[in-house]
Amino acid sequence: MCGIVGYVGDRSAQGVVIDGLRRLEYRGYDSAGIALIADGRSGARGDQQGKLAVDKRAGKLANLEKAIADTPLPASTTGIGHTRWATHGGPTDGNAHPHVGRTGRVAVVHNGIIENFAELRASLEADGHEFASQTDTEVAAHLLEREVVGGADLTIAMQKVCSVLEGAFTFVAIDAEDPSRVVAARRNSPLVVGLGEGESFLGSDVAAFIEHTREALELDQDQVVTITREGATVTNFDGTPAEGRRFHVDWDLAAAEKDGHDWFMRKEILEQPRAVADSLLGRRTPSGSLHLDEMRLDDDELREVTKIIIIAAGTSFYAGMVAKYAIEHWCRISVEVELASEFRYRDPILDNSTLVVAISQSGETADTLQAIRHARSQRSKVLAICNTNGSTIPRESDAVIYTHAGPEIGVASTKGYVTQLVACYLLALYLAQVKGTMYGDEIDGVMTQLEAMPAAVSKVLETAPQVYDLAREYADRRAFLFLGRHAGYPVALEGALKLKELAYLHAEGFAAGELKHGPIALVEEGLPIWCIVPPRGRDFLHDKMRSGIMEVRARGARTIALVEEGDDSVDSVSDTIIRLPKVPVLLQPLVAVVPLQLFACQLATELGYDVDQPRNLAKSVTVE
Ligand code: AGP
């Protein structure tokens, strides 16, 4: 989704903005642009002091950088930049941000959607305004400029304009006649302020400015922030003063770099043992009981919970499916798992005895956010499982379990997913503790098993060379199937999603028991099928899975079995065996998913695709 950067200080704004945009590239985008206020020291474009200089290009940031190298921008210490993921209007130079007002005095960049832009545009056109793009954003540029030309300063202009806009948005704007400030606003869209010495920053997230400052300011909804060299001033849209929440950024720059790997995704897969360990840190009180990050629900309220609905999208949804197995088994509470995009449209039955659990790595997924808002409007309590501190979903929830995976840059979720699984297990155990459905020593026992998982994930990572060989062997195939049962079924779905996202291949995951109800018709000579074999602890499942493998192999499939150590029962019916460490059946997804992640990453690499930024996808999907 769009990346936004703003800067005012003493450095070259061009350098700060372009570097910030590069740090935000992981969000996914299809064009990039920059606007600066010329300070009159130099310039190859005939720019004069107090004039805007704008350049914007479709495609990757490199296109913009080349354009700037060919025709340099003027010296400037105040600027804004943007990487756009197209919504209104295709990914063209003209639709790229920044957009400027009628006289070219105000430039604005925007993330989100202005829902009432068509009416506003029609009314501006009736007043003689002409538009250069198909975007909703340009309307905001014209409205802002009309206010400043009418005498308002940019802060007041932003307050006024935001008050008439409907939808979700982050804006960052500059006024050519006031280089001392950059003004931004947010409603249901991400924005963070960075506070340096004699300089200030704006970003879609802290990655935009983390190399310059670690002091940051988080805004609430419907607020305007004005940054100057001296700091930041926050108001509500109605102009009343407000205060942001200051925080120190713990993530260091190295954590947002690739550590010498070809892809962030590969680095993030390899970071999973650490991520799982971090997500388990500090969960037990000195007395041995479990506690969660931000629990604004008391135990009495949780004891009243009779039903849980988990809502999420994509990979997070598959983590939710695993959570269902754990919560129902350990807590005996019925759990529904629902796609966030479908949830509020089916008139779900919700009341104050329903706990809604929203799982989101980014904390900004619009479908999930709207779903939790609907749940809260029906008096249900919402607990968020999220990786992004200060993002909107946890802020709007009654309780939060942060997954503590650190920044996940690759668009395909990996360490985000395994830490979501850990958080789901923790939630299940916490509910079991509160509801008394497990004894303290049983909970301790599972915690001990969980604490062994970082080592188990490290062990399964040792299969990487074998998995990479397989990716090379199967690089010419156009279709793959994935079979699982019980907690292995969502893992099959996740393995298939990874291949679709990264290698653009037809890949489907199935519950192995469903084979004979249709999918077996897909099986033909040479079709590779990944089979996630349940641990022996559930022998009836294990044996049924073995029968499934035999059925597909008899029809010519190439079977790749993920099997726990010491289990040689499927060796004779498998073309390839990949050994998983021995773990309890409910925790098996934590290890079984790893070879599937490695396989997708390597296969996409073999095919020459951009693993970190797959086509058509964005890291954070902030529109419905
Ligand atoms: C994961 O690999 C995907 N790119 C995608 O399915 C993702 O999990 C989904 O968009 C949900 O994102 P969230 O966890 O940030 O809410």
Side-chain angles (χ1 to χ4, degrees), residues 4 170-172 184-186 189-193 202-204 217 219 225:
I4 282 182
T170 298
F171 292 111
V172 180
R186 79 172 288 232
S189 187
L191 177 70
V192 197
V193 182
L202 292 160
S204 304
L217 191 73
L219 301 180
V225 62

Side-chain angles (χ1 to χ4, degrees), residues 447-460:
M447 283 302 290
T448 304
Q449 289 169 340
L450 275 172
E451 282 155 5
M453 293 312 287
V457 176
S458 292
K459 184 109 181 73
V460 74

